[in-house]
Amino acid sequence: MKLSTKGRYGLRALADLAFHSGGQPVALMTIAKRQHLSDGYLESMFGALRRAGLVRSIKGAGGGYVLARPASAISVGEVLQVLEGDLSIVDEDDRDQTENSLRGCIKRFVWDDVSEKINGVVESVMLEDLISHCRAD
């Protein structure tokens, strides 16, 4: 599994928002400049994050985005799920999944286990954990 730029950049931008906002709205242009990203690209990602209830947009002068929940209540896995979709390392293939099939056996005992461990890690890391580590560095 390889995350796309959408997942990697989106997580980085959301962590930037959590790190710098202090509860105040932050303009996407500001995040884009700090993270060397396209503000147009961020707009599409933040639209998805807003629809998923992870951020709120504030209109008007001094507007921008804020986290919809505390950083301690937003997992990296939740962000990646919104931006990437399913994080399984192989696609589901219902063909030839019988108990005695080699394909089914490998899927169950290798690929499903790897996917479960990846999901366990990203679900256990919260945005607050990321920004705490960054502040400590």
Side-chain angles (χ1 to χ4, degrees):
M1 178 182 92
K2 186 174 184 178
L3 293 176
S4 71
T5 56
K6 187 175 185 179
R8 294 190 328 268
Y9 292 178
L11 179 59
R12 197 166 89 204
L14 201 59
D16 182 285
L17 175 63
F19 189 86
H20 292 286
S21 75
Q24 299 300 311
V26 178
L28 286 185
M29 189 180 342
T30 303
I31 295 171
K33 284 181 184 176
R34 271 196 299 258
Q35 296 302 320
H36 308 286
L37 300 171
S38 157
D39 53 336
Y41 193 42
L42 286 184
E43 278 185 40
S44 71
M45 287 186 284
F46 270 68
L49 295 168
R50 184 183 48 74
R51 287 186 295 279
L54 298 180
V55 297
R56 289 185 301 120
S57 62
I58 309 296
K59 304 281 186 209
Y65 283 87
V66 295
L67 295 178
R69 301 192 314 253
S72 60
I74 300 173
S75 73
V76 168
E78 189 174 8
V79 175
L80 294 177
Q81 187 78 32
V82 168
L83 298 173
E84 295 284 343
D86 183 23
L87 296 180
S88 296
I89 64 167
V90 295
D91 292 330
E92 286 294 324
D93 187 358
D94 291 334
R95 292 174 286 134
D96 202 21
Q97 295 286 323
T98 62
E99 280 296 316
N100 296 325
S101 87
L102 189 55
R103 179 187 297 172
C105 183
I106 292 170
K107 182 184 179 305
R108 279 190 313 279
F109 292 107
V110 179
W111 307 136
D112 288 350
D113 193 39
V114 171
S115 292
E116 185 179 312
K117 285 178 175 41
I118 289 169
N119 282 303
V121 169
V122 297
E123 286 301 327
S124 70
V125 178
M126 308 308 274
L127 273 182
E128 181 64 35
D129 300 329
L130 292 178
I131 61 176
S132 292
H133 285 294
C134 291
R135 285 190 176 119
D137 286 345

